[in-house]
Amino acid sequence: MKRSLMGRLWPNLAAVVIFVFCVFPVYWMFATAFKPTGDIIAEDPVWFPTDATLEHFRTAMDADHFWTMVGNSLTVTILAVVFSLIIGVTAAFALARMRFKGRRGFIIGFMLAQMAPWEVMVIAIYIIVRDADMLNSLIPLTLFYMVMILPFTLLTLRGFVAAVPKELEESAMVDGCTRMQAFRRVILPLLAPGLMSTSLFGFITAWNEFPLVLVLNKEAESKTLPVWVSSFQTAFGDDWGATMAAASLFAIPILILFVFLQRRAVAGLTDGAVKG
Amino acid sequence: MTVQKTERPPSGPTEVQTLDGGSRPKGPVGSARRLAGLTPYLLLAPAIIATLLLLGWPLVNNGILSFQNLNMRQFILRLTEWNGIDNYKEILTGEDFWRVTGRSVVFTAVNVVLIMVLGTLVGLLLARLGRKMRTFLLVGLVLAWAMPVVAASTVYQWLFAQRFGVVNWVLAKIGFESMADHDWLATQYSTFFVVLLLIVWMSIPFVAINLYAATTTIPAELYEAAALDGAGAWKQFTQVTLPYLRPFLYATTFLEIIWVFKAFVQVFTINEGGPNRLTEILPVYAYIEGMGNQHFGMGAAIALLTILILLAITSFYLRIVLKQEEDEL
């Protein structure tokens, strides 16, 4: 009896400790962002913001070029996701449904591309972009982000295409559709969940990207939010309230997206990862 | 963080005999068939061209740059000065590169061991919890997982801030009074400790959640059979759970090695490789030499050596994935 009680107690206790370890930094970011400055620099930490204030959010949003950077981040991210979906879905269709020479090689190639060392290639990319006179432009960022998320998009969508019963396509073709029409009218609508989850992951990757934009876009007007957040502390001294507000503003879209992801995609991802 | 997804099996044999054969009798049969044979390549072309141009070209360019003497002067005047293998000679005979490489390897090893051990434990814990408690813990894990790296590293700087940082306050309260005003980013090891904690914190959820999902697929009969054979809890774990999860654990470990080895953003945003360049790992070293000190050729050479190491790790990983998918390809 005693043993089974202990046996139940320990896992639950461990779960609570791990929960606190996981959540505390996230909580502390939001809590600090809402605390008045007096509470932030109190001798003893104020654990819960009782007189919450929006002052720090105002400071962050009033920062020079904040809205430009929001626009830049959104533009670059959305365009990169849309382009990689368009390119990715056609390639995924070929890889999932057709037999042709070199197919295996292409798949391995894209798997390798998925592991690409972007963090290490910044110097080479910087020189290429400078020679093309495109520093401080959003175009190279969009293109590189597109290719960054393309392998994942393509390989995942390949799985989703393969899961659509072939008979649906065939019966559409019997009804007089060409292969492409069958794809557009029959398969594409069934791919909606796959397109949704891959684009969410693509969004997260592009929204977070840091090394490239750090190197390529030095002018304030052309920066994106990750660089803005990382430089906040230098720009605003030890104003931790504003810094945490900036970090919160940047993190909120991703946190929200992840809530959606949980339902839709993580199940699919683990399906894949589990199969051994 | 991108996640490697292994595909579900296709629903049928993937050969195509239908290629426009009956449905479109236009044009001479020969050219139609040739066109049909080209279709997959045409569909793949945009993806391949984009990848070759935007990933392949920087890789090639990095190789070319690494054989050049390219510093600020050459950079501004746009001169191309070849210097053969001088960059590599200098790097490989110098001490710095080997020191940073050793540091990167130890850094990666410590991180990955911690991530895998703790992640596995949390994953197994998830499997043991009741439904409510499990959902509770899953929510916590997902929140840590979802935090963007740059936001997370800013928060860790604040948690470990010298003044008003909550970590120093707690340490002082529980008796380590000398820690009250500790500057974590002033020395090599304590900076690494903050980076390590950040990386482990961000990485545990991926391992734990996926591992938990994997345990749910272990057939109960396996445990029943083991219990019939008189296996205790530990034996069941080593004889049933571990062997079943092995492929998954291999793949996850390799992914983590690759990710941690390239952990540029975490190291750079916490302290830019400081103090005194003592926390530079290879990608940060390449960046600081190349971009920071404007020795672009040298930086490119370091980058290429780093890529070679990554390629070796990746090929191990790919072999495992491919073995798993052999029948599907």
Side-chain angles (χ1 to χ4, degrees):
Chain A
M1 181 69 196
K2 194 178 167 198
R3 203 166 159 211
S4 77
L5 188 69
M6 290 298 278
R8 238 175 301 150
L9 186 67
W10 282 115
N12 287 326
L13 208 64
V16 173
V17 172
I18 297 163
F19 178 85
V20 172
F21 172 75
C22 287
V23 171
F24 186 74
V26 186
Y27 169 74
W28 206 233
M29 172 180 80
F30 285 115
T32 308
F34 283 109
K35 275 188 243 173
T37 307
D39 284 2
I40 294 173
I41 55 170
E43 267 322 303
D44 292 314
V46 176
W47 296 101
F48 187 79
T50 34
D51 347 280
T53 168
L54 290 177
E55 183 201 327
H56 303 305
F57 285 97
R58 229 168 281 135
T59 313
M61 290 159 95
D62 284 347
D64 286 345
H65 308 295
F66 169 72
W67 292 106
T68 316
M69 288 182 223
V70 172
N72 291 347
S73 270
L74 282 174
T75 312
V76 167
T77 306
I78 292 172
L79 287 179
V81 170
V82 169
F83 290 149
S84 82
L85 277 186
I86 295 171
I87 301 183
V89 82
T90 53
F93 180 67
L95 289 175
R97 278 293 153 88
M98 297 174 177
R99 269 232 179 278
F100 53 93
K101 235 181 163 172
R103 175 166 163 276
R104 195 184 151 96
F106 288 129
I107 294 173
I108 296 172
F110 284 116
M111 283 181 174
L112 262 169
Q114 192 172 16
M115 305 265 100
W118 294 101
E119 295 83 352
V120 187
M121 297 195 305
V122 286
I123 299 162
I125 293 177
Y126 175 69
I127 306 252
I128 291 175
V129 174
R130 183 210 53 165
D131 289 350
D133 263 326
M134 296 264 246
L135 291 174
N136 295 305
S137 152
L138 296 182
I139 297 169
L141 281 188
T142 308
L143 292 173
F144 282 113
Y145 293 176
M146 172 190 83
V147 167
M148 217 175 269
I149 56 188
L150 180 64
F152 174 79
T153 309
L154 184 160
L155 291 172
T156 313
L157 284 178
R158 170 179 164 248
F160 279 99
V161 174
V164 175
K166 217 163 174 280
E167 294 73 38
L168 287 178
E169 201 183 336
E170 281 162 1
S171 67
M173 278 162 43
V174 170
D175 290 347
C177 284
T178 64
R179 197 172 166 98
M180 282 304 121
Q181 283 170 334
F183 175 71
R184 241 196 352 259
R185 296 190 194 152
V186 181
I187 302 183
L188 209 52
L190 290 171
L191 285 183
L195 294 170
M196 187 80 148
S197 57
T198 45
S199 56
L200 287 176
F201 267 109
F203 189 95
I204 289 174
T205 309
W207 183 260
N208 281 332
E209 203 287 328
F210 177 78
L212 276 191
V213 63
L214 174 77
V215 169
L216 297 182
N217 295 28
K218 298 273 191 209
E219 272 165 25
E221 294 82 10
S222 67
K223 285 182 183 173
T224 59
L225 289 174
V227 190
W228 175 71
V229 172
S230 79
S231 63
F232 218 84
Q233 210 200 331
T234 1
F236 281 73
D238 270 345
D239 187 348
W240 284 109
T243 308
M244 289 301 102
S248 307
L249 286 173
F250 173 63
I252 286 170
I254 302 295
L255 293 173
I256 293 173
L257 276 184
F258 234 82
V259 173
F260 283 104
L261 263 187
Q262 246 324 74
R263 291 270 165 78
R264 289 187 169 280
V266 176
L269 286 170
T270 46
D271 274 356
V274 161
K275 195 179 61 80
Chain B
M1 198 184 274
T2 40
V3 181
Q4 170 64 45
K5 181 183 183 296
T6 43
E7 277 81 5
R8 58 196 74 174
S11 54
T14 23
E15 74 224 57
V16 181
Q17 321 108 320
T18 23
L19 285 175
D20 298 335
S23 56
R24 206 170 42 175
K26 278 179 250 159
V29 178
S31 81
R33 190 160 289 163
R34 209 171 310 137
L35 195 68
L38 278 177
T39 315
Y41 301 103
L42 290 175
L43 290 174
L44 275 166
I48 291 167
I49 292 169
T51 308
L52 284 180
L53 224 56
L54 294 153
L55 174 59
W57 175 232
L59 275 170
V60 172
N61 194 43
N62 186 86
I64 296 172
L65 291 172
S66 73
F67 295 106
Q68 290 178 15
N69 178 30
L70 182 57
N71 300 318
M72 204 51 197
R73 199 181 93 86
Q74 293 84 351
F75 180 77
I76 292 175
L77 299 174
R78 306 205 177 205
L79 301 171
T80 308
E81 284 179 19
W82 299 98
N83 66 350
I85 54 164
D86 283 3
N87 291 332
Y88 291 99
K89 237 193 242 160
E90 198 178 330
I91 291 166
L92 295 171
T93 53
E95 270 176 37
D96 279 0
F97 174 76
W98 297 108
R99 200 178 312 136
V100 177
T101 305
R103 186 188 293 154
S104 292
V105 171
V106 175
F107 171 78
T108 307
V110 173
N111 264 298
V112 172
V113 168
L114 278 173
I115 292 167
M116 289 313 296
V117 171
L118 295 174
T120 305
L121 286 175
V122 176
L124 294 173
L125 176 70
L126 278 170
R128 269 195 70 178
L129 290 171
R131 222 173 61 92
K132 271 190 198 143
M133 210 55 187
R134 181 187 306 142
T135 313
F136 171 74
L137 183 51
L138 276 172
V139 169
L141 289 166
V142 167
L143 273 175
W145 192 4
M147 270 288 271
V149 194
V150 173
S153 87
T154 318
V155 180
Y156 271 71
Q157 282 173 304
W158 166 224
L159 291 171
F160 286 90
Q162 187 176 5
R163 298 186 61 215
F164 311 116
V166 69
V167 173
N168 282 352
W169 182 86
V170 170
L171 287 172
K173 274 287 151 189
I174 59 172
F176 300 96
E177 259 131 64
S178 60
M179 298 300 284
D181 203 29
H182 184 69
D183 183 359
W184 287 87
L185 302 184
T187 67
Q188 182 185 23
Y189 286 109
S190 61
T191 304
F192 261 134
F193 177 78
V194 178
V195 175
L196 183 108
L197 202 67
L198 169 64
I199 292 179
V200 171
W201 175 77
M202 298 186 63
S203 314
I204 282 179
F206 172 74
V207 178
I209 294 178
N210 282 301
L211 190 116
Y212 161 65
T215 58
T216 59
T217 62
I218 303 178
E221 299 88 65
L222 290 181
Y223 286 108
E224 285 160 20
L228 274 180
D229 291 344
W234 175 249
K235 227 159 176 202
Q236 285 187 20
F237 175 69
T238 54
Q239 306 283 313
V240 180
T241 315
L242 268 190
Y244 198 88
L245 297 179
R246 186 159 295 139
F248 167 83
L249 286 172
Y250 277 149
T252 317
T253 308
F254 274 113
L255 276 179
E256 291 294 347
I257 292 174
I258 292 161
W259 286 333
V260 174
F261 201 80
K262 312 192 282 185
F264 173 88
V265 184
Q266 291 90 329
V267 175
F268 188 81
T269 49
I270 287 278
N271 204 8
E272 305 203 354
N276 296 320
R277 308 188 59 176
L278 285 172
T279 59
E280 286 176 8
I281 56 169
L282 279 168
V284 181
Y285 180 54
Y287 172 81
I288 304 249
E289 273 305 303
M291 299 301 300
N293 299 342
Q294 284 151 345
H295 302 142
F296 301 99
M298 285 289 274
I302 299 166
L304 196 104
L305 292 169
T306 311
I307 292 170
L308 288 180
I309 300 175
L310 273 167
L311 210 62
I313 306 169
T314 311
S315 64
F316 268 114
Y317 168 67
L318 271 185
R319 260 182 44 195
I320 289 178
V321 174
L322 287 180
K323 226 177 243 166
Q324 281 179 38
E325 305 214 350
E326 202 93 89
D327 40 303
E328 271 182 47
L329 287 173

